[in-house]
Structures are given as C-alpha cells and as structure tokens.
Amino acid sequence: MSAHNRGTELDLSWISKIQVNHPAVLRRAEQIQARRTVKKEWQAAWLLKAVTFIDLTTLSGDDTSSNIQRLCYKAKYPIREDLLKALNMHDKGITTAAVCVYPARVCDAVKALKAAGCNIPVASVAAGFPAGQTHLKTRLEEIRLAVEDGATEIDVVINRSLVLTGQWEALYDEIRQFRKACGEAHLKTILATGELGTLTNVYKASMIAMMAGSDFIKTSTGKETVNATFPVAIVMLRAIRDFFWKTGNKIYHHVTGRYAAYHDLPMS
Amino acid sequence: MAATRAGPRAREIFTSLEYGPVPESHACALAWLDTQDRCLGHYVNGKWLKPEHRNSVPCQDPITENLASCLQAQAEDVAAAVEAARMAFKGWSAHPGVVRAQHLTRLAEVIQKHQRLLWTLESLVTGRAVREVRDGDVQLAQQLLHYHAIQASTQEEALAGWEPMGVIGLILPPTFSFLEMMWRICPALAVGCTVVALVPPASPAPLLLAQLAGELGPFPGILNVLSGPASLVPILASQPGIRKVAFCGAPEEGRALRRSLAGECAELGLALGTESLLLLTDTADVDSAVEGVVDAAWSDRGPGGLRLLIQESVWDEAMRRLQERMGRLRSGRGLDGAVDMGARGAAACDLVQRFVREAQSQGAQVFQAGDVPSERPFYPPTLVSNLPPASPCAQVEVPWPVVVASPFRTAKEALLVANGTPRGGSASVWSERLGQALELGYGLQVGTVWINAHGLRDPSVPTGGCKESGCSWHGGPDGLYEYLRPSGTPARLSCLSKNLNYDTFGLAVPSTLPAGPEIGPSPAPPYGLFVGGRFQAPGARSSRPIRDSSGNLHGYVAEGGAKDIRGAVEAAHQAFPGWAGQSPGARAALLWALAAALERRKSTLASRLERQGAELKAAEAEVELSARRLRAWGARVQAQGHTLQVAGLRGPVLRLREPLGVLAVVCPDEWPLLAFVSLLAPALAYGNTVVMVPSAACPLLALEVCQDMATVFPAGLANVVTGDRDHLTRCLALHQDVQAMWYFGSAQGSQFVEWASAGNLKPVWASRGCPRAWDQEAEGAGPELGLRVARTKALWLPMGD
C-alpha cells in the first residue's frame, strides 16, 4: 500500500463550479456495462484481480471469535488452490485486500490472521458506524481504540447532515480530525451516497473527503437502502481522477454491497 | 482444459489488466451467403433476381476478406423492380390499415427471430462495432416496425384526407444503409406505399431484410432491393412509376439529383450529410459532455464526424478530458465484443486521411490517441483543433472519426457560429443552466437538438434537418406525411420540357411601352413596390400596363427587377427575428386586424374584382372568404407543436413547429385576391416573413391589400413585388438567402424553380401548371399548407437530478 494521502488545504473552488448531470451519468452507467466484455482467461484474470481488492467483511451483531476466525481463513485463501494452480496463479499470493470487522472484534481478527501467518490488514469500522449520528468526541475515541487494538485501516462514515446542509468546512474539519486520530492507519471515508440526495453532492463530498486526507473513499456502509450503484461509482471515480490531476495523489475507490454472484458485481 | 491453456496468459493479464479479443462468431452470416452461392443478386417481387451478363463487384469486410460478389443492376432490372412495386401497390394500398399493421408486426417478429444473422452480417460487412448493431440498430428496427404498425392501424381515422403516394424510390448511402432503410421503409409501407430501394453495391443487409420480408408471403412485391452503382440513381429516379424519391447521401449528389429531377414526375426528399454538432458551455458537466463526444464520433453510433464548439473558459479543461478519454478508446474488428469502434473500409479511411492531411497543412493541430491497430483501414480517433475559421477544412463536412473543436466566447456567438454553417442536421447542447440550454436549443437552426445528451433516437420522434441537410423527415407523424398526398388531388405529372434553357429563363424582361392613358377607377391604386412597409419606386423606373377582362387598359404597375427582389428579401430578413419571436396570439391578432381592414375595404375590392370579370356576388364572396382565411390561420396556429413521451427517457421531447425564414411566394394568375391572401395568411401566421409576386394578370388587388398591411403590420413582414413573372421567379429561385419558395404558375416556371432550388436546397412547392381550387377548403386552406409552411424541430429534454 502506498503512502498516506496528506490531504490539502480546503479549497472550495474545487467544488463550487462542479456540475454533474444525472441523466447523462445514468446513460454512461448503462453504456459502461454493455460496451466491452472480457471473456476466457481475461475474465479469469480480471476476476482474480477483483478478489485482491475485496475487503472481506462481517458486520453483524452476532459475530464471535469463531466466525471471525473462519473469515480470516477465507481472506487468506479466497480461491481454491487447485483452481489457482490451473490458472498458474498459485504463487501470486492471492488474498483479499483486508478483513473488515466491528471495533470490538479487531483483536480477534488480528490474532486469527497472525495465527494464519499472513499480514492481511485488519480494517475496522468506527466513528459511529453506520449512521454517524453520535458525538464527535466518542467517534474520535472509537477510532483511537480500534487503532490501538491493531486495526490498520479505519472505515469512518461522514456526517450526512453536513453534506445535505452544505457545511463543507465543517465536514472538512471533521474528516481532518478523523485523519489525525487514525495516526498511521489508512483512513477510508464512507460517503453513504444513498443518503446524499444528488450526484453533485456525491462529487463534492468525495472531493472534500480527499482534500481532508482520506486514503480511500467508499460508496456506502452496506446498511443503507441504496448502496453502491454504477452512476455513483462513475461520479466518485471522476472526482478521484480530478483530485489526482490537481495533487498527484492517487486515492482508492471502494464500492460496498452484498454480491451473490459474479453478474451482480458492479465490475462485471 | 481451457483454463490450463490459459494459464501463462492469465498471469500477464493479472498485472496488465488488458482487454482480450472477444470474437463474435459470424458463421451464420457466411452460411447465409452460402445459400446464395456467395453471389448476391437483387431481391425483386419476392424472388432473388440474378440476371446474366451483369458486372459484379466484390463484397468485402473492411479488413478485406472477400465474402461474396454482388451483381450490379442495369436499367432493365430497375424497370422490372419498379413494375413489381407498381403492381404490388394496387393490392397493398387497397388493404385496410389493420392488414398492413399485421404484416409489419409479423416482419418485426421475423427480425426478432433472425436478429443474430442480421447483426452479424451488418457488422461483418460494414465493420461497425457489433454491440451498436446488436443493441442499437436491430432493436430500433423492431421498434420502428411496431410504431409504424400502430400508425397504420389508425390510418383511416388519424390520416383521413390523405392517400399514399405510390411507389417510392429509395436511395441509400454506403454506411448505415440498413438503419437508414428501416427509417424510411417503415412509414412508407405503413401508409400503403411500396418501395424500390437502391443500395450501393456490397451492402447485403438490406437484401437480407428484403428476403425476410418477401418470404412472409402475401405481399411479395412491396419491398424490392437492387444493388447498383451511383450511376443508376437518375435512372431509378426518372422511372415513370416512381412517385417519390427519398435520397440519403452526400450533399453534392443530392444537389445533382435535385437538378436532374426538375420537372420530372417524382417528388424528391433529401436527407444529406452526416455531420453533427456539439455545443459545450461553461456550465456543462464536462465529463458527461466528453462522453457525448464519444457517442457522437467514436462509438460507431453516428455515421459522421462532429463539429465541437467549446466555450473559451472551459477550453483547456475540456480538451484535457477529451484527450485523456481518447487514449482509452479501443478500435478493432467490428465483430469483436470488446472494441469501441471498428473500421469502415478503405473509402472511409481515404476520406479521413485526406481531410486530416489538408487540415494539418492549413495550420490545424491534430491529436490522435487510442488503442488502434496500425494497419489500414483502421483509423484512430482524431481531434482537430486550431483550425483557422476561414480555411477550407473548416467549411467542408467533417468525416468520421474526426472531431473538429473550436472555441466560442458567449452563447450568442455560439449560435452565430453554429448557424453559420450550411448544415442543419442535429446538434446537442451541454449546459446545466436551463435558460441558456433552451435559448440555444430554440436558436439552433437544425432538425434535432438534444439537451445534455447526444444521439438519442426513437421511432415516435421526427428526425430530419433543414438548410443543406435536406428537408425530409423520418419518424413520428412527419415521417408519415413524407409518403402521403392529399386525397383527391390530381396525380403529379411530369412537366419536363427538354428544351427549357435554364441559363436564359426569365433573364431578360420584355420592355414595356406606354399603352395609353389609364382609365381605371379612382382613386387609383397606389403605385410602386411594397417593400419594407412602404411603396417604393422600382429600380428599373419603368412600369407595365395591366388590362382588365375586356382588354382595356386598367392601370400601370411598377416593373420590379433583381435589385428590387434583393431589397425585398433584405427587408424580410430584417423583420424576421421580431416576427418569429412574437407569440402565435400576437401574430393572430395582427392577422385578424388585417381581416377587419379587408372587410372595411370590401366595396373597393369587390369592384376591382368585378372589373376582372367576376360577378358582384362572387366578388363579394371572395373578399369575405379572404378575410375568413386570415382569421382561420390566425386561430389555427395557436395549437401548434406538442410534447412527445419517449420510451426509456425521463422527460419530454418537444416537437416544435418553427418558421422557415423568408418565404418567397409566386401567386397564381387566377383568384387575384383569394389566392394571394390564402398564401399570405399561413405564411405569416407561422412566423415567416414573405416576398410575394402577386397575380400577373391583376396585381392591383394585392396592392390594395398592401395599403392595409402598411398600416397594420410592422415594416418588412410582407413585401410585394410586381413585374415580369418569369424574371422575378428567376431572381427569387436563385436567391441563396430565401429559405423556401412556393410557385404557382406555368410548368416551365415550376421546372426552373425546382432546378434552381438546388443552390441552397430550399424546399420548393411548385404547382406545375395545375390550377388549384382556392375557394375550396381542402385546396385553399388544407393541412397541406400547414405542413409546408413551417419546419419541425425535435427538442430532447432529458430530466433527472
């Protein structure tokens, strides 16, 4: 993983002029799904690549150390060995990108991964997940505790009310504080795009989150009614590209959802 | 097993994340060609026609694999096809619309069942990306058939008063021949016409379609397809059985055809050129607009190149995004499922190479990018900028796959630049400000405008153009009227006079000498040409005598000439923006005021008509009817244009009826008052300004009306020029800044007007010497006038936030 995004000073001119045309983005989203296909070994290689980008996640009330352990094992061996051998990919060390759990289960995950002998990062949701409707002080404390427990990636949710009311400075300051609380851990900012109202808001929130120093921006918590959709992903990726052009920093993009089959994947 | 073989490759792909070939099997297309023994003939009257002793040309895919040979039609094949269509027309048009609707629906079902064959064949031969043909063209073809089946089934009620024209000759371009054919045969067949289509050699998809239609059974001859060279176009067009020629292709060919068809029996509908336009303003979603550019030029969706106008303040940003996007485009074989654009064969490649070379030599910057095979006939997406506005390349049509970008400063300037080209096909406007988007959308002189989208299409939305893009329409109600004529009107006959000399027709004005003192009624009618709201002395400073029905000298009217026509057209142009900007209600109010003025002047007008030999009663009736016409058109124009709802699109599509511009009208000799008013009223009601040449026999009545127009109308709305009819007709028909012309007069004059209109391709309506019953509602104020007096524009307004 690359170095941290240091973020930049808040520059509202980066978001003041932006326009996102909803129907045009919807059309683009339709197109992008139908325009090019990958088949055969290309499909296999692309899918394997996708596996290495997965944050394998369990965020349930009934998580215990045993199912965390199973999850960690799955993270280490996401694909059956014989299949990888057939593709001649068994020595590529294909694992998922991270394991993602609630803060209280971080210790279990760290232990299980150590036992499995691998250095897959443990991600923890924090900061009042999933609604973000708790006091800032407790949210910051939550982050610090998760980092202390050994989480190296922190998923925070932004305060949607700040976006909906256009308080960009406040949003910037808040994420700045999350950034600080994370210390050396990566900050993954969840925008909860299903609750932001418009695609223009999605773009603006993405930009603010990146300016404030997020290493990842993420579509959603998986707990809203609408999670990752293609149009939203397009807008966030456009924001990431614009941020890269302005600062030279590459930010990662994350889509969230429950995908039962390959064909449900937004990438497929 | 496959996975094992794939092993070593997968490792590399895992790192590079490249795309691989996704070849679509074209075995079924080859198998179909095999059924024809790899030799394609013509499909006429439900049978394959493979005459002997014909030249043949090879049918290749763009990567130059020889697929089959195509026989070239000759004149007798054309005659046979037209005869077959003529015989089929009798049965086909006599059936009720419901029967035709069923047949079209069955054809749609057949296409659905054999769509794989259609899309692989079309993509194989044209080289377009198979995804566009499969998901775009073939689906649209079925939608077109379904839409027009519905129109056919309601024809008896919805289109009462109209009847099918007859056999339609359809001439198709080498690219997009299948889709262009569907857009035109569907309305033609729906209303009861039959079709003979001439496709360029080596386009098998239309032949396959004809075969599918022919094998449906009971109506074999309704769709006949010939393949042959461009030299057959005039032969097909001048076949006596052909009632209308629908031509799509290059502007110069269309112009030549317009000239060669002057005076011939067939009507002509032109759809010319392929270039499109995209306006990118500084309030646009630039990334989405860049996708619009890709849709327009680099995705095999549109046939031609794109002219791109970018507001100066976002120029750098837009260019950067555009160039970045171009770098990600993939080109390759059309039948590959992972390419964005295919290759279109050697001819298209030559054309674009020549254009780019010339643009470079004229000082333009050329940017090319994309993952494109380096060999011919592949050509990379190309962005041309900094082309000096006056250079020749800036004037000619932009070829596929080139985008020519130029900056503009304000929306007003964008309109000036965009409307400054002779083309009027389609355009898109990208702006998030509603007011600005509508201002541009309404102001652009084109047939189709998309707001924040590009290249959307639907069977129910009329698509067409204006200016040199030709003024024929397909889709929607306008597409149906292309193949209909008012019932009961006499069939259009050829009025071709071989010895008409276009160079000298109406060139010289026979000199007129004083013929004695005037013995007309007093007060004498005003003397002069009514130009710019007042009576002016003619440039030639001479007059022509007007005699009454018994041959006595009635008076003198001014002898107008070329200079006066020029002045009148200028005055009309000056008045046009103000008049077109008025609401229909305001225009109606002025027409009603003129009607009232006519009624006040009734006794004078009636006595003038009496001197022309009319009975007093009839004369009074003519004046009353004239006033009624003015009121009727004023009322009728209130209910114009409507909103369409399109499947799959949120938001409306507005079908607007816009004025043509400056309309030149040469009035018939008969009905000196009624015909004049019947033509004037719709023209003004729809927002046009007019230059009129009144009845040559009795222009005095028109001049009487001018006295009222001088007081009622703003200056320049209606200009009336008296003088030698042929001479004035010549001046108007050759005028490049007259947007449309109606001619009611001799056959020779009609032929000349049709020939001369090829200059700026103005739509013309010529009577060809046939008299019209102006006092009848159908002919004097029928829907045909309403159709011809304005042009349609489709304005797409997608919505969402």
Side-chain angles (χ1 to χ4, degrees):
Chain A
M1 186 103 344
S2 59
H4 288 293
N5 169 24
R6 292 176 184 285
T8 62
E9 292 294 311
L10 179 66
D11 185 349
L12 287 180
S13 73
W14 291 9
I15 61 167
S16 58
K17 277 174 82 182
I18 185 64
Q19 301 285 351
V20 181
N21 187 277
H22 189 259
V25 173
L26 291 191
R27 269 197 311 279
R28 174 68 181 142
E30 251 170 54
Q31 257 177 22
I32 220 169
Q33 293 172 79
R35 192 150 270 184
R36 299 178 196 159
T37 54
V38 278
K39 294 280 185 226
K40 306 215 170 114
E41 54 262 51
W42 285 269
Q43 188 175 13
W46 282 51
L47 282 172
L48 280 181
K49 194 70 172 182
V51 167
T52 65
F53 292 145
I54 290 176
D55 276 10
L56 203 59
T57 305
T58 175
L59 294 171
S60 323
D62 55 1
D63 286 340
T64 64
S65 63
S66 69
N67 78 324
I68 297 289
Q69 214 174 343
R70 274 206 301 280
L71 191 78
C72 290
Y73 186 82
K74 187 71 185 167
K76 173 93 201 294
Y77 304 104
I79 309 282
R80 254 168 42 204
E81 190 71 14
D82 56 326
L83 294 179
L84 286 178
K85 269 216 175 95
L87 286 165
N88 193 21
M89 294 289 288
H90 52 285
D91 53 349
K92 278 273 187 181
I94 288 184
T95 65
T96 64
V99 171
C100 180
V101 293
Y102 268 125
R105 298 266 80 85
V106 169
C107 281
D108 294 338
V110 170
K111 219 186 292 168
L113 285 171
K114 199 170 270 172
C118 63
N119 53 357
I120 300 175
V122 175
S124 167
V125 299
F129 185 90
Q133 298 279 25
T134 58
H135 292 295
L136 182 59
K137 206 171 163 189
T138 57
R139 281 188 274 159
L140 289 171
E141 197 54 34
E142 220 181 323
I143 294 174
R144 282 188 205 104
L145 290 173
V147 173
E148 268 172 36
D149 281 351
T152 52
E153 296 182 5
I154 302 294
D155 287 21
V156 299
V157 287
I158 61 164
N159 187 340
R160 277 77 110 184
S161 61
L162 295 181
V163 176
L164 292 170
T165 53
Q167 304 180 53
W168 304 113
E169 292 92 346
L171 181 68
Y172 176 84
D173 292 339
E174 216 179 276
I175 300 174
R176 254 310 196 218
Q177 294 187 49
F178 293 153
R179 167 79 270 174
K180 227 158 132 198
C182 282
E184 280 307 297
H186 280 114
L187 175 64
K188 304 162 96 170
T189 307
I190 300 173
L191 303 177
T193 53
E195 293 177 354
L196 294 187
T198 66
L199 291 178
T200 311
N201 275 350
V202 170
Y203 183 95
K204 289 181 175 176
S206 306
M207 208 42 132
I208 295 283
M210 289 185 287
M211 282 194 257
S214 309
D215 299 299
F216 287 73
I217 53 173
K218 199 164 163 176
T219 55
S220 47
T221 60
K223 308 269 185 197
E224 294 99 36
T225 33
V226 181
N227 287 297
T229 60
F230 244 97
V232 161
I234 287 172
V235 171
M236 290 173 73
L237 286 168
R238 285 176 180 174
I240 287 173
R241 185 204 49 201
D242 291 351
F243 187 75
F244 173 67
W245 278 352
K246 284 180 200 287
T247 67
N249 281 341
K250 276 196 176 164
I251 307 300
Y252 291 81
H253 176 245
H254 234 285
V255 295
T256 313
R258 295 147 192 262
Y259 304 109
Y262 157 66
H263 292 287
D264 298 340
L265 276 173
M267 304 312 198
S268 67
Chain B
M1 277 312 286
T4 332
R5 253 189 297 119
R9 280 298 277 135
R11 283 177 80 90
E12 291 159 34
I13 301 163
F14 183 77
T15 345
S16 64
L17 280 188
E18 68 201 50
Y19 281 90
V22 188
E24 182 104 0
S25 161
H26 58 278
C28 60
L30 295 182
W32 179 74
L33 288 173
D34 283 336
T35 63
Q36 298 302 315
D37 301 322
R38 300 277 178 138
C39 170
L40 293 169
H42 318 290
Y43 200 82
V44 172
N45 205 13
K47 289 186 291 289
W48 283 97
L49 182 69
K50 292 186 183 172
E52 287 176 6
H53 312 300
R54 297 284 188 268
N55 297 334
S56 72
V57 290
C59 167
Q60 297 173 325
D61 75 358
I63 329 289
T64 69
E65 182 191 346
N66 213 339
L67 297 170
S69 60
C70 289
L71 297 181
Q72 299 279 71
Q74 285 183 0
E76 55 260 47
D77 307 328
V78 174
V82 173
E83 184 56 26
R86 218 170 53 78
M87 296 309 288
F89 174 72
K90 289 179 187 151
W92 180 245
S93 60
H95 279 290
V98 186
V99 175
R100 289 198 295 273
Q102 277 171 354
H103 194 74
L104 291 181
T105 313
R106 282 179 62 208
L107 181 56
E109 285 161 2
V110 170
I111 289 184
Q112 192 190 9
K113 285 169 192 159
H114 302 290
Q115 50 179 305
R116 184 177 187 88
L117 174 57
L118 263 172
W119 89 54
T120 43
L121 186 69
E122 173 75 358
S123 173
L124 176 69
V125 176
T126 61
R128 286 171 62 209
V130 65
R131 141 189 64 82
E132 280 305 322
V133 185
R134 179 188 60 208
D135 304 342
D137 296 9
V138 175
Q139 307 310 317
L140 186 61
Q142 293 171 51
Q143 289 164 13
L144 278 167
L145 284 165
H146 285 300
Y147 172 81
H148 285 101
I150 293 170
Q151 304 308 309
S153 70
T154 59
Q155 186 181 1
E156 280 85 1
E157 305 94 72
L159 296 171
W162 296 84
E163 60 185 30
M165 278 184 174
V167 179
I168 309 297
L170 176 57
I171 294 146
L172 294 166
T175 50
F176 284 72
S177 52
F178 171 68
L179 197 62
E180 297 287 4
M181 174 166 162
M182 289 306 298
W183 273 113
R184 288 166 182 85
I185 62 165
C186 289
L189 294 178
V191 298
C193 295
T194 56
V195 179
V196 176
L198 177 67
V199 298
S203 322
L207 285 165
L208 170 60
L209 183 79
Q211 187 192 356
L212 292 176
E215 285 168 357
L216 275 180
F219 310 103
I222 56 170
L223 178 58
N224 307 282
V225 176
L226 301 164
S227 78
S231 58
L232 275 184
V233 169
I235 296 175
L236 172 65
S238 55
Q239 290 288 320
I242 297 273
R243 293 282 159 211
K244 168 150 193 166
V245 175
F247 176 88
C248 34
E252 277 320 305
E253 291 167 27
R255 206 167 257 146
L257 186 62
R258 173 66 278 177
R259 292 206 174 99
S260 75
L261 269 188
E264 294 269 11
C265 164
E267 260 185 71
L268 180 61
L270 295 171
L272 308 175
T274 53
E275 185 187 295
S276 193
L277 175 78
L278 192 145
L279 277 180
L280 204 171
T281 69
D282 61 356
T283 60
D285 173 357
V286 178
D287 280 311
S288 294
V290 167
E291 291 305 327
V293 176
V294 174
D295 282 348
W298 301 319
S299 71
D300 279 352
R301 182 163 296 185
L306 181 75
R307 210 164 275 280
L308 173 62
L309 293 178
I310 304 176
Q311 194 151 16
E312 219 173 331
S313 48
V314 286
W315 172 268
D316 291 335
E317 196 194 351
M319 290 302 266
R320 180 177 191 184
R321 280 161 208 266
L322 207 52
Q323 293 178 351
E324 153 84 15
R325 181 71 177 89
M326 287 168 75
R328 295 177 185 280
L329 290 166
R330 297 188 82 236
S331 176
R333 276 179 65 90
L335 277 172
D336 188 326
V339 300
D340 296 318
M341 56 186 242
R344 293 203 187 156
C349 194
D350 289 340
L351 184 70
V352 57
Q353 267 174 344
R354 207 165 44 239
F355 179 86
V356 170
R357 221 177 17 245
E358 275 171 28
Q360 251 165 340
S361 72
Q362 287 158 16
Q365 281 176 8
V366 174
F367 176 85
Q368 294 180 327
D371 177 6
V372 183
S374 53
E375 73 270 20
R376 272 172 67 87
F378 291 101
Y379 200 83
T382 304
L383 177 64
V384 173
S385 55
N386 284 5
L387 192 62
S391 64
C393 273
Q395 317 295 325
V396 300
E397 196 164 57
V398 180
W400 172 90
V402 178
V403 172
V404 174
S406 40
F408 68 90
R409 291 171 300 175
T410 60
K412 273 203 187 68
E413 190 179 58
L415 273 186
L416 279 179
V417 174
N419 289 341
T421 67
R423 287 165 283 274
S426 60
S428 64
V429 173
W430 294 79
S431 165
E432 292 300 309
R433 275 189 12 229
L434 181 66
Q436 186 187 47
L438 289 178
E439 172 77 24
L440 289 168
Y442 275 79
L444 283 169
Q445 289 164 9
V446 293
T448 306
V449 179
W450 299 282
I451 305 289
N452 291 324
H454 198 103
L456 306 180
R457 50 204 179 167
D458 189 88
S460 62
V461 179
T463 312
C466 58
K467 299 201 281 190
E468 291 190 10
S469 293
C471 53
S472 74
W473 288 82
H474 48 265
D478 303 75
L480 297 172
Y481 287 117
E482 288 282 314
Y483 305 101
L484 290 167
R485 61 194 186 101
S487 354
T489 47
R492 218 171 118 101
L493 294 174
S494 171
C495 67
L496 184 65
S497 118
K498 287 263 191 270
N499 49 16
L500 176 65
N501 187 340
Y502 293 122
D503 292 335
T504 56
F505 175 84
L507 190 62
V509 183
S511 47
T512 46
L513 298 170
E518 300 180 19
I519 48 161
S522 63
Y527 174 84
L529 308 169
F530 185 67
V531 172
R534 57 196 185 84
F535 288 93
Q536 298 181 351
R541 296 289 191 275
S542 57
S543 310
R544 59 191 292 118
I546 301 298
R547 294 175 192 281
D548 62 16
S549 56
S550 42
N552 301 321
L553 184 67
H554 194 314
Y556 289 96
V557 295
E559 179 78 69
K563 203 171 156 197
D564 305 301
I565 291 290
R566 196 184 66 202
V569 172
E570 257 169 42
H573 266 294
Q574 269 173 12
F576 176 70
W579 182 240
Q582 296 268 357
S583 73
R587 294 200 291 256
L590 289 191
L591 289 179
W592 282 46
L594 183 63
L598 281 192
E599 277 165 348
R600 276 196 298 277
R601 206 180 276 272
K602 187 168 161 185
S603 59
T604 324
L605 291 169
S607 72
R608 302 252 161 173
L609 284 168
E610 253 189 302
R611 281 204 62 171
Q612 289 301 315
E615 298 268 322
L616 181 60
K617 271 239 167 79
E620 281 180 344
E622 185 174 341
V623 179
E624 278 165 21
L625 186 55
S626 302
R628 260 208 316 280
R629 288 273 154 85
L630 283 166
R631 293 208 170 93
W633 281 107
R636 210 183 286 181
V637 79
Q638 311 277 322
Q640 268 308 304
H642 55 262
T643 310
L644 305 165
Q645 196 65 53
V646 167
L649 177 87
R650 291 193 62 228
V653 180
L654 307 184
R655 175 180 174 265
L656 309 172
R657 294 286 287 163
E658 294 194 333
L660 299 161
V662 173
L663 176 62
V665 183
V666 179
C667 299
D669 275 346
E670 64 276 12
W671 298 100
L673 177 66
L674 181 62
F676 177 79
V677 172
S678 297
L679 291 165
L680 176 77
L684 289 184
Y686 280 80
N688 304 290
T689 51
V690 289
V691 176
M692 299 187 84
V693 177
S695 157
C698 181
L700 298 172
L701 282 144
L703 291 174
E704 290 284 349
V705 178
C706 286
Q707 286 188 18
D708 290 322
M709 292 202 285
T711 56
V712 172
F713 287 161
L717 276 198
N719 304 279
V720 177
V721 180
T722 52
D724 181 65
R725 184 189 189 86
D726 287 350
H727 181 60
L728 297 177
T729 300
R730 179 184 182 89
C731 296
L732 285 168
L734 287 171
H735 202 296
Q736 300 288 312
D737 216 8
V738 166
Q739 273 77 39
M741 181 152 182
W742 294 354
Y743 180 86
F744 296 91
S746 67
Q748 283 207 339
S750 301
Q751 186 181 340
F752 179 82
V753 167
E754 288 177 0
W755 176 84
S757 73
N760 67 343
L761 288 170
K762 56 173 92 66
V764 293
W765 183 19
S767 69
R768 306 189 146 201
C770 296
R772 256 178 113 81
W774 291 99
D775 53 336
Q776 302 296 314
E777 193 62 20
E779 292 194 20
E784 190 183 10
L785 276 139
L787 213 58
R788 290 183 186 268
V789 78
R791 63 161 186 253
T792 305
K793 178 195 270 179
L795 183 60
W796 294 69
L797 293 166
M799 67 181 190
D801 183 44

